[in-house]
Amino acid sequence: MRIGVIGTGRIGTIHAHTLSRHREVGSLILTDADASRAQELAHRLGETAAPGVDEIYRWGVDAVVITTATPAHAELIGRAARSGLPVFCEKPIALDLAGTLSAIAEVETAGTILQMGFQRRFDTGYTGAREAVRSGRLGRLHTVRALTSDQTPPPAGYLPLSGGLYRDTMIHDFDVLRWVTGHEVVDVYAVGSDAGPAMFREAGDVDTAVAVLTLDDGTLATITGTRLNGAGYDVRMELAGELDQIVVGLDDRTPIASTEPTGPPAADKPWTGFLERFGPAYEAELNAFVEVVRGERPNPCDGREALQALRIAEACELSRRARRPVRLAEIPGEAERTFG
């Protein structure tokens, strides 16, 4: 199997390493807007660098992996679909619903594969939580508390391009909430604070946000996000039911300290970022993509799944700006449930 990798930044480099050593992948063609970056990575891996996207298609590949900047995703997905090629794309498809729906339509018209990169679905902790909920171990689930906290904020120049905290960061929590519980969000109420560094206000974004969500079975969820968690990178999900409760993301590297005399000590080596925290999950999702391309398993996260997470993010952004509850039915793109 020959795979084209479009984008060789941080996550593209990780994906290229994973694919380069995969036993079912014979070779890679790498390209990037920064040609020297693609050439350097290709040299390190013993793979081929292409001067541009056109050459990837002209030289011939069996599948495409897209890890470029977000504004290029939808167009590249469409091109792969029109070429009849399966594609893996890092989230999101696009920063708006129109672009997302257009790209999904191209994939569905072509009858090709689009697997989206929501890596938490491949994390051992979230997988265990899903199994616990679906098995009935917790009894009736009534409360979910989730959070994503970055240790340091991104560069100021990234913020206007990110889509905002709900679409860029908390969208992972929205996706995995649906995936773990097996239920849809029906309404949200969201607020945000831009009281931190001025660059957030200048970008029209917030540095900290909270969303209260109601699921279609009555389960209540809270999701918080921040760009300013100096203790470290913290991603957790607590699920409480009538019989038991569990937590994802609590280990000896969780950046939190207890004030109780007998509580656990602070982490000696707290998580510093998502690439470190979710390293095995990133590898697992690419291994899954190879299996999907080979026809060995169904698509674990298609474009419609990504659309649902974006719709929740859109509802939260509308709620924050309008200062009112928002029903998901108000957000375009509603479709039948697609997850199992």
Side-chain angles (χ1 to χ4, degrees), residues 233-247:
Y233 181 70
D234 192 4
V235 173
R236 278 176 282 140
M237 172 182 271
E238 300 173 6
L239 300 107
E242 292 182 345
L243 299 180
D244 200 358
Q245 65 176 345
I246 55 175
V247 59

Side-chain angles (χ1 to χ4, degrees), residues 1-4 6 53-66 76-88 106-107 110-115 289 293:
M1 183 186 300
R2 193 181 204 190
I3 296 180
I6 306 174
V53 175
D54 290 344
E55 284 75 15
I56 282 187
Y57 288 94
R58 190 158 60 240
W59 296 351
V61 293
D62 301 300
V64 174
V65 170
I66 299 170
L76 290 170
I77 289 170
R79 182 167 185 178
R82 294 189 297 274
S83 300
L85 293 174
V87 59
F88 174 94
E106 290 219 62
V107 171
T112 53
I113 294 167
L114 169 60
Q115 180 183 328
F289 178 61
V293 174

Side-chain angles (χ1 to χ4, degrees), residues 132-142 240-245:
V133 171
R134 304 301 182 90
S135 71
R137 169 185 159 187
L138 306 185
R140 183 186 68 85
L141 185 67
H142 53 71
E242 292 182 345
L243 299 180
D244 200 358
Q245 65 176 345

Side-chain angles (χ1 to χ4, degrees), residues 92-221:
I93 294 174
L95 289 177
D96 63 341
L97 288 167
T100 299
L101 290 166
S102 177
I104 290 173
E106 290 219 62
V107 171
E108 293 179 348
T109 297
T112 53
I113 294 167
L114 169 60
Q115 180 183 328
M116 294 302 300
F118 282 101
Q119 86 283 352
R120 294 188 193 182
R121 294 178 177 225
F122 297 88
D123 176 73
T124 302
Y126 284 104
T127 300
R130 175 182 163 101
E131 292 171 352
V133 171
R134 304 301 182 90
S135 71
R137 169 185 159 187
L138 306 185
R140 183 186 68 85
L141 185 67
H142 53 71
T143 308
V144 180
R145 296 175 287 269
L147 62 89
T148 295
S149 302
D150 292 332
Q151 183 176 30
T152 55
Y158 173 76
L159 293 177
L161 307 175
S162 70
L165 189 58
Y166 294 111
R167 299 185 190 94
D168 182 51
T169 298
M170 294 168 70
I171 195 168
H172 283 287
D173 297 284
F174 302 148
D175 174 71
V176 86
L177 174 66
R178 296 179 60 246
W179 186 74
V180 167
T181 64
H183 289 279
E184 295 288 3
V185 173
V186 295
D187 60 52
V188 308
Y189 184 77
V191 295
S193 170
D194 61 3
M199 65 181 184
F200 291 98
R201 293 185 292 279
E202 293 165 358
D205 196 5
V206 294
D207 57 73
T208 303
V210 178
V212 179
L213 310 97
T214 305
L215 305 189
D216 57 18
D217 67 340
T219 299
L220 300 179

